[in-house]
Amino acid sequence: MQIVKDQAGLSAAIAGWHKEKPAIGFVPTMGALHEGHMALVGRARQENTRVVASLFVNPAQFGPKEDLSRYPRTPREDEKQLCAAGVDLLYMPSVEDMYPDGVNATRHVESIGDHLEGVFRPGHFDGVATVVARLLQRVKPTRAYFGEKDWQQLQVVKRLARDMNLPVEIIGVPTMREVDGLALSSRNRYLSVEERQKAALVPAVLKTCAEKIRRDPSQIEAALIEGCKKLAAAGFRLDYLECAEAESCAPVRHLNKPARVFVAAHLGGTRLIDNTEISNQ
Ligand code: AMP
């Protein structure tokens, strides 16, 4: 696996493949890799002739009071995992390489990014859209892989690629979970042993909510209220538990289009997010 740390190195490495006319699969990450990330890499490996991964903790997507400085960083372990998984090229840019004119979120994806996470993390998706646009323009992949764990981000990225007319297929990969249902996340390592046990309530409440709504779509509000109560009683501080349209991520109280249940909840100092589909459970 070749490792490059700037745009020039990245372009040179990709240009070196031009004779093969490769199908390039791209997996952007913020590192502290786990099996969820590796599922994306596995899909990229299966479906393409070359795989590029990136590792960049993007300051533009963190709010001033968020966990940028303490975000877990394990670059040596990450490199080993990516190499073992058959990644051809790892792009690990510096902040200066990614943002030569200073860290600034310059892209906004209308509407999708304003709901759910957008309400509680203002500017977050502008930061995501900015970095993903730059990465897609630099790597020029055939396909790029994003986790359904961050469902709203996946929709923002799909819209971004469409709006920018980028010739890339954006592919969503199902969420990898622990045996008790907790979605794998780099942030799970912030949880104490006791919090880790409690955290399984998040996917359990999501599942119950989704089942209730599927059984009786007139009871969306009641199902959400009950879920909120369960989480609050267990000591979670909720940002939201919402039923929203799958594509637009707009909250809904009627099921006219495919919808999902989304949650963001704080447990101690850790913020957990997750989502699940309502139909076909
Ligand atoms: P991150 O490093 O947290 O920015 O995540 C990089 C990519 O991995 C994103 O597309 C995430 O949605 C995806 N991802 C994170 N956790 C999981 C998971 N548990 N299952 C599947 N994909 C995931």
Side-chain angles (χ1 to χ4, degrees):
M1 181 176 77
Q2 191 179 348
I3 300 179
V4 291
K5 303 217 163 174
D6 56 25
Q7 265 190 83
L10 178 71
S11 302
I14 292 171
W17 299 336
H18 77 279
K19 283 200 184 123
E20 318 166 9
K21 296 201 170 48
I24 298 178
F26 176 47
V27 181
T29 82
M30 298 207 299
L33 301 182
H34 49 67
E35 288 303 313
H37 296 110
M38 299 320 288
L40 272 56
V41 173
R43 271 289 291 277
R45 188 65 283 172
Q46 275 171 24
E47 297 174 357
N48 302 277
T49 53
R50 292 284 188 177
V51 177
V52 180
S54 66
L55 203 165
F56 179 64
V57 182
N58 175 30
Q61 70 187 67
F62 287 77
K65 292 188 186 141
E66 295 182 356
D67 58 345
L68 174 61
S69 60
R70 72 175 184 127
Y71 194 82
R73 287 166 169 85
T74 58
R76 296 287 89 80
E77 288 84 344
D78 296 346
E79 282 174 33
K80 275 190 216 146
Q81 283 196 68
L82 294 170
C83 183
V87 168
D88 297 285
L89 179 60
L90 172 60
Y91 178 38
M92 295 172 73
S94 62
V95 172
E96 293 69 32
D97 183 63
M98 187 54 70
Y99 295 103
D101 303 317
V103 176
N104 196 4
T106 50
R107 281 192 189 272
H108 182 72
V109 174
E110 280 291 311
S111 168
I112 298 176
D114 298 332
H115 305 298
L116 306 173
E117 286 296 280
V119 174
F120 290 88
R121 301 186 72 187
H124 168 68
F125 287 121
D126 295 351
V128 169
T130 303
V131 80
V132 171
R134 288 180 188 198
L135 287 166
L136 294 176
Q137 282 171 323
R138 292 178 193 188
V139 175
K140 300 184 185 68
T142 317
R143 302 180 185 86
Y145 297 81
F146 293 83
E148 291 184 353
K149 153 86 166 39
D150 301 287
W151 181 272
Q152 191 178 5
Q153 168 174 280
L154 172 63
Q155 305 315 308
V156 165
V157 170
K158 281 185 177 171
R159 177 70 62 84
L160 173 78
R162 210 175 71 195
D163 289 352
M164 291 177 71
N165 263 318
L166 296 174
V168 59
E169 189 183 349
I170 304 297
I171 295 178
V173 178
T175 304
M176 293 281 289
R177 298 178 180 281
E178 305 275 9
V179 278
D180 64 1
L182 180 66
L184 298 184
S185 164
S186 305
R187 289 187 168 98
N188 290 354
R189 66 188 76 195
Y190 298 153
L191 298 168
S192 68
V193 174
E194 193 194 333
E195 287 169 345
R196 171 62 193 82
Q197 278 179 347
K198 254 191 203 176
L201 192 61
V202 170
V205 163
L206 267 183
K207 195 166 172 232
T208 310
C209 251
E211 275 165 10
K212 279 192 181 143
I213 294 170
R214 184 171 51 91
R215 249 184 279 128
D216 185 355
S218 72
Q219 292 302 305
I220 294 179
E221 191 72 30
L224 295 173
I225 290 171
E226 199 184 314
C228 287
K229 280 188 189 155
K230 263 194 216 157
L231 287 166
F236 289 85
R237 187 166 59 76
L238 233 69
D239 279 351
Y240 57 83
L241 176 65
E242 256 304 353
C243 175
E245 270 180 22
E247 196 179 327
S248 70
C249 295
V252 283
R253 291 296 175 267
H254 301 281
L255 295 188
N256 301 324
K257 291 184 181 171
R260 302 179 76 87
V261 185
F262 296 82
V263 66
H266 299 259
L267 185 55
T270 309
R271 187 171 184 274
L272 302 169
I273 66 166
D274 200 352
N275 68 89
T276 195
E277 66 183 351
I278 289 171
S279 51
N280 309 320
Q281 320 246 342

